Amino acid sequence: MRTAVWLMLTGLLMTSLAATGQEAKSTVRKQIVLGDYDAELRRADGHVDSQLLVAQLQELGANTYMWLIWHSKHDWDDLKTFLPLAKQAGIKVWVYLVPHSETAVQNTRWPYSEPFRLDYVRWAEEIARLSLQYDNVVGYVIDDFGANVRPDRFSPEYISKMVTAGKAINPRLKFYPLLYYGEFALKFIRQLAPLIDGVVAAYPRGPQDIERALMYLNDKYYEPGSVAFEYPWDTPSQGGEYAFVSQSATVTDADSAAVTFSYRDDYEGPTSGYYFMQLRIDDQVVWEEDVAGADEGEITVKLSDAVAGKQTVQLRLGVLDKRPVSNYGVIPTFMDLKVTGLKLTTTDLGSASHWKAQRSGAFTIRHYPAQSGTGKFHLPLIVMTAAERGEYQKRHGKPATPERIAEQVKMALEFARAGKIAGVVTYCLDKHPGNPDFAAVAEVFRQFQARNKAGKPQ
C-alpha cells in the first residue's frame, strides 16, 4: 500500500514539476531577431574578414547573421572561422544557400553554393553536424525557394527528405525558405507549410504585406473561389500564348454594366512588357495589367460601351503573353468576381464546370474552391528588408536614403514588438566605414533594444 501511495505522490509531484516547467518556459521571452545578411567585406585573398564582420555586427546591434555561401569557394570554410567568434559575441547564425535558379544550371556565369552544390540533403546533414559543434547555428535558409518548388528541383518529397536528414542529426535545426510576399497563397498552404519550420519573407512594401503573410503563416487565411493561370519557369514561349476562362453573360442593363474582381500575381520583379492580365468582353480588351512589379488589388471596370446594343456577351478573364520569353514563370490569379447589369450562371471563379477554358503554349489553368484556414499551425516569420540601395529602388520605386531604409526596418520591428513576427534581417546592408545607411539602421536597432531593456510594453 505504501509503495502505491508513494508512486501516486511521485507521479503527482512529477506532473506538478512538469507543469511548472512548462509555465516557466512559456513566460520566457524569445529573443527578437535583429539581423543582417551578406555584403561582408573581404580581404585581398578573397576570404571574409571574420573578426571585422563580428565587430561590425556588434556595432550594428545585431544578434543574428545570415551567412551566404555563394561568393567564393572559401565561404564554407570561412563560416567555420566565423562561428566561434560569433558565438563569443552572442550572435546566432543561419547558413544561407542558393537554389538551382541562382547557379550555373540557370546561368553559366553563376557559381554554386560550395562544396555540396545541388545536394541539399547533404547540405542539411552537414549544417546539422556543424550546429552540434557550434550551438549558435540556428538553421539554414534557401533563397528564392518558391520559384524552385517544382518536380525536378524541390518537390514536396525532396523537401521532406532534406528536412528529415537534418533533423535526424539535430532535431533543433530549422529550415526557413526565402519567399516573397506574393507567394503566400494556396500553393504555399498545400506544398510548403507542412514541411518547414518558418519563413524569411523579403521586401515588404508596407504593413499590409506582412499582415497578409501572417494570415497564411498562422493558418487564419480566407481564399475565395479563384482561378489561377500558371506559366512555368525555364519554359520558352514564342509570344502570343494565352490562357482564358469565359462564360456567356446576359446583358440586363447596359448603362450600369460593370465587373468587379480582385487580382494578384506572384511576380514582384521589374521585367515588364510580357505577361498581361486581361478582362475581355467578346474580343475587346476592356482592362489589362502588366504582371511586372507587385500586383494585388481590386478593380471595377465599367462596361456600358462594350455591351451597348448586345443581348449576350462573352466575359473572359485571363493572361496574354505579348512577347517571347525564355525564362519567366508567373501565376496570375483572379477572385471575388461581382457583376452589375449582367447575369452569369455563377460568379464563382472556383467552379470549373461553369467556365470554359481556352489556352495555348505551356499555360495551365486551375480553379480553386473557397478555402479557409483553421488555425492549426503557426509558422514564425523573419522579415527581410531591402537595405542595399539598388534593391531598395527596385522594390519600392523611389531613391533609397538612409531614412527610408531605416523606416522599413522600423516598420517591421513594430510587428516584432507586438509579438507577431520573430524579427527583422536587413538585405546587404553596406558595411563600409562611415556608411550612413549602416548608421541609420544601427540607430533603429539601438532604440528598439533600449525600449525593450527599459521594460516598456511590447
Side-chain angles (χ1 to χ4, degrees):
M1 173 68 73
R2 279 187 294 216
T3 301
V5 171
W6 181 83
L7 287 171
M8 181 183 71
L9 290 174
T10 301
L12 290 172
L13 178 61
M14 294 301 292
T15 302
S16 175
L17 287 173
T20 303
Q22 294 253 354
E23 182 179 349
K25 183 178 179 180
S26 68
T27 60
V28 175
R29 179 182 294 177
K30 291 183 179 179
Q31 183 185 53
I32 292 172
V33 172
L34 302 176
D36 183 41
Y37 158 81
D38 198 19
E40 310 98 346
L41 299 183
R42 294 176 181 262
R43 303 194 306 255
D45 60 5
H47 288 270
V48 174
D49 190 332
S50 293
Q51 290 185 328
L52 174 61
L53 178 57
V54 168
Q56 290 172 324
L57 293 173
Q58 289 178 307
E59 181 184 354
L60 182 64
N63 56 34
T64 301
Y65 192 69
M66 292 188 173
W67 181 281
L68 174 62
I69 297 180
W70 190 54
H71 296 295
S72 164
K73 63 182 181 180
H74 306 302
D75 289 344
W76 179 243
D77 290 331
D78 285 352
L79 171 63
K80 297 173 185 177
T81 301
F82 173 73
L83 283 171
L85 300 175
K87 180 177 180 179
Q88 188 175 5
I91 296 170
K92 294 182 178 179
V93 180
W94 292 76
V95 182
Y96 201 105
L97 307 173
V98 299
H100 307 70
S101 62
E102 294 177 82
T103 69
V105 169
Q106 191 73 42
N107 187 325
T108 56
R109 295 173 298 174
W110 291 345
Y112 293 90
S113 291
E114 297 287 2
F116 309 116
R117 295 197 166 195
L118 303 179
D119 188 346
Y120 297 97
V121 173
R122 177 75 183 278
W123 273 115
E125 292 171 340
E126 295 301 330
I127 293 167
R129 292 188 180 98
L130 197 63
S131 72
L132 295 179
Q133 184 178 359
Y134 301 103
D135 61 7
N136 56 327
V137 175
V138 180
Y140 56 107
V141 180
I142 301 179
D143 199 40
D144 284 2
F145 198 75
N148 288 272
V149 176
R150 39 187 270 189
D152 59 335
R153 293 184 181 180
F154 291 110
S155 66
E157 295 76 17
Y158 188 86
I159 298 168
S160 178
K161 182 179 179 181
M162 174 185 75
V163 171
T164 300
K167 291 184 183 295
I169 295 169
N170 182 354
R172 295 187 301 275
L173 188 72
K174 307 296 184 186
F175 167 56
Y176 281 30
L178 185 285
L179 299 177
Y180 299 96
Y181 288 90
E183 293 174 327
F184 290 99
L186 289 179
K187 183 177 179 181
F188 168 80
I189 293 296
R190 291 189 173 102
Q191 294 188 338
L192 283 182
L195 302 172
I196 62 179
D197 299 299
V199 169
V200 180
Y203 319 133
R205 293 165 293 172
Q208 73 280 0
D209 278 349
I210 299 175
E211 290 285 8
R212 184 173 175 278
L214 289 171
M215 290 193 304
Y216 290 90
L217 291 165
N218 294 325
D219 193 27
K220 294 181 179 179
Y221 64 93
Y222 171 71
E223 283 275 4
S226 62
V227 59
F229 305 89
E230 181 171 1
Y231 199 91
W233 291 94
D234 294 329
T235 306
S237 78
Q238 301 302 311
E241 282 91 340
Y242 59 84
F244 283 89
V245 295
S246 63
Q247 190 179 148
S248 179
T250 302
V251 180
T252 58
D253 184 352
D255 291 338
S256 67
V259 173
T260 299
F261 57 88
S262 297
Y263 63 93
R264 67 167 179 261
D265 64 70
D266 66 339
Y267 179 73
E268 298 184 6
T271 304
S272 61
Y274 292 87
Y275 298 112
F276 287 80
M277 294 178 277
Q278 292 185 342
L279 167 65
R280 296 182 180 185
I281 297 299
D282 294 329
D283 291 324
Q284 180 184 351
V285 178
V286 293
W287 171 88
E288 70 176 7
E289 173 73 20
D290 194 321
V291 304
D295 290 304
E296 182 175 2
E298 182 180 83
I299 185 77
T300 296
V301 183
K302 295 182 179 180
L303 302 176
S304 55
D305 291 341
V307 304
K310 299 179 180 180
Q311 293 183 333
T312 62
V313 295
Q314 287 292 315
L315 187 151
R316 307 178 193 274
L317 284 167
V319 185
L320 173 67
D321 174 23
K322 292 188 178 183
R323 295 162 56 190
V325 297
S326 59
N327 181 28
Y328 192 162
V330 69
I331 310 176
T333 301
F334 295 86
M335 66 209 79
D336 268 347
L337 177 67
K338 304 177 184 69
V339 297
T340 56
L342 301 174
K343 184 178 180 181
L344 296 171
T345 303
T346 181
T347 57
D348 182 5
L349 289 166
S351 179
S353 62
H354 292 98
W355 294 89
K356 181 180 179 181
Q358 297 170 302
R359 66 179 184 86
S360 67
F363 273 109
T364 57
I365 302 174
R366 292 186 175 89
H367 295 265
Y368 296 106
Q371 184 173 328
S372 299
T374 57
K376 290 183 178 179
F377 61 81
H378 164 72
L379 293 170
L381 171 63
I382 297 174
V383 173
M384 177 179 280
T385 63
E388 190 273 330
R389 291 202 168 197
E391 196 65 43
Y392 183 96
Q393 169 91 37
K394 174 181 171 183
R395 300 296 176 175
H396 297 283
K398 52 189 175 183
T401 65
E403 294 76 20
R404 286 173 175 167
I405 289 171
E407 190 59 35
Q408 284 293 304
V409 176
K410 187 175 181 181
M411 177 274 294
L413 281 175
E414 288 304 310
F415 284 88
R417 193 180 302 282
K420 294 183 176 182
I421 68 172
V424 178
V425 59
T426 54
Y427 171 86
C428 291
L429 182 63
D430 193 325
K431 299 173 188 60
H432 287 90
N435 183 270
D437 303 339
F438 185 98
V441 174
E443 179 60 18
V444 172
F445 280 1
R446 186 197 67 76
Q447 292 177 1
F448 183 86
Q449 290 169 321
R451 272 183 80 179
N452 282 356
K453 190 174 182 180
K456 294 188 177 181
Q458 295 292 306

